[in-house]
């Protein structure tokens, strides 16, 4: 097996009351596992792809053999997205950002409150399944800039040359058991799980890309 499901870095119930135990169990053990299984199915057809990291695979989709390109886009994306998602959350987390990301959010959005509001509004409007992202963009920028973007399905900003610093999953499987159709309530509650230490580490990586 080329790729494996990473263990959840905390207990299934650790993000209660913001994300419930049943959702975490299904989301990690069933949904994320399915992306890994399907990605491995594509690798079986083209074993040379197994020497690359999942990030490398989705960064250069045009180089993926056509018969498995869509499978890699969806399931490689699903694997990368969820691996990040578990890492950028933690129990007893949330609150105000700290470190370099706090300074950069202030520079690019004015304040954390303004950033959060814009992120939640933008992500609430993503039609159907997808993700809301905070990305680091060097496109047309001398030093780089934070931007908020959304993607459909399991598409990852890496495929567009953008580095994902944080992302929130707005597929219904991420929130429907607890929040039903109230995506904005889930989006608002989710900030209580955000692990700013992990996000600062991703921001450091982004700047080195
Ligand atoms: Mn998901």
């Amino acid at each position: 097996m080329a790729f494996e499901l990473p263990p959840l870095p905390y207990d299934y119930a650790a993000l209660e009351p913001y994300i419930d135990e049943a959702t975490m169990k299904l989301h990690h053990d069933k949904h994320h596992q399915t992306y890994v299984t399907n990605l491995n199915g594509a690798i079986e057809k083209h074993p040379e792809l197994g020497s690359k990291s999942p990030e490398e695979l989705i960064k250069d989709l045009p180089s993926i053999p056509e018969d498995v390109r869509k499978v890699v886009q969806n399931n490689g994306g699903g694997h990368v997205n969820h691996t990040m998602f578990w890492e950028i959350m933690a129990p007893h987390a949330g609150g105000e950002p700290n470190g370099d990301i706090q300074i950069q959010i202030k520079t690019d959005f004015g304040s954390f409150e303004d950033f959060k509001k814009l992120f939640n509004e933008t992500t609430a409007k993503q039609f159907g399944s997808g993700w809301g992202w905070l990305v680091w963009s060097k496109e047309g920028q001398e030093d780089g800039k934070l931007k908020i973007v959304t993607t459909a399905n399991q598409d990852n900003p890496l495929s567009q040359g953008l580095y994902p610093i944080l992302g929130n999953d707005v597929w219904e499987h991420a929130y429907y058991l607890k929040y039903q159709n109230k995506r904005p309530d889930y989006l608002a509650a989710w900030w209580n799980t955000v692990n700013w230490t992990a996000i600062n580490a991703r921001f450091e990586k982004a700047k080195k890309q």
Side-chain angles (χ1 to χ4, degrees), residues 154-166:
Q154 294 296 348
D155 291 354
N156 186 290
L158 286 171
S159 305
Q160 305 164 37
L162 300 166
Y163 193 92
I165 293 167
L166 68 80

Side-chain angles (χ1 to χ4, degrees), residues 27 31 35 82 131 154 169 171 173-174:
H27 202 173
H31 290 275
Y35 301 125
H82 288 84
W131 289 73
Q154 294 296 348
D169 186 346
W171 282 57
H173 68 227

Side-chain angles (χ1 to χ4, degrees), residues 32-151:
H32 190 171
Q33 178 64 65
T34 300
Y35 301 125
V36 173
T37 303
N38 291 343
L39 181 60
N40 284 331
I43 303 304
E44 255 170 54
K45 289 186 194 160
H46 296 278
E48 74 280 5
L49 298 177
S51 64
K52 296 191 173 179
S53 71
E55 287 84 0
E56 284 171 328
L57 293 175
I58 58 167
K59 247 185 208 175
D60 191 12
L61 287 170
S63 75
I64 305 295
E66 219 243 312
D67 63 323
V68 296
R69 192 176 299 149
K70 201 71 192 171
V71 178
V72 169
Q73 180 180 347
N74 290 336
N75 296 281
H79 182 30
V80 171
N81 296 351
H82 288 84
T83 301
M84 173 212 68
F85 191 55
W86 315 131
E87 283 170 4
I88 61 160
M89 298 190 292
H92 316 294
E96 297 280 320
N98 52 50
D100 287 353
I101 196 69
Q102 176 192 29
I103 296 163
Q104 196 67 43
I105 285 173
K106 219 178 160 196
T107 302
D108 291 329
F109 299 101
S111 71
F112 177 52
E113 284 311 310
D114 288 336
F115 157 67
K116 215 162 69 169
K117 189 166 176 275
L118 186 61
F119 183 95
N120 288 355
E121 283 170 2
T122 307
T123 306
K125 280 187 259 176
Q126 165 61 30
F127 185 74
S129 297
W131 289 73
W133 304 94
L134 176 67
V135 299
W136 186 240
S137 169
K138 288 189 170 168
E139 218 172 292
Q141 311 286 336
E142 219 169 284
D143 301 318
K145 188 181 166 58
L146 293 172
K147 283 184 184 166
I148 295 167
V149 299
T150 59
T151 60

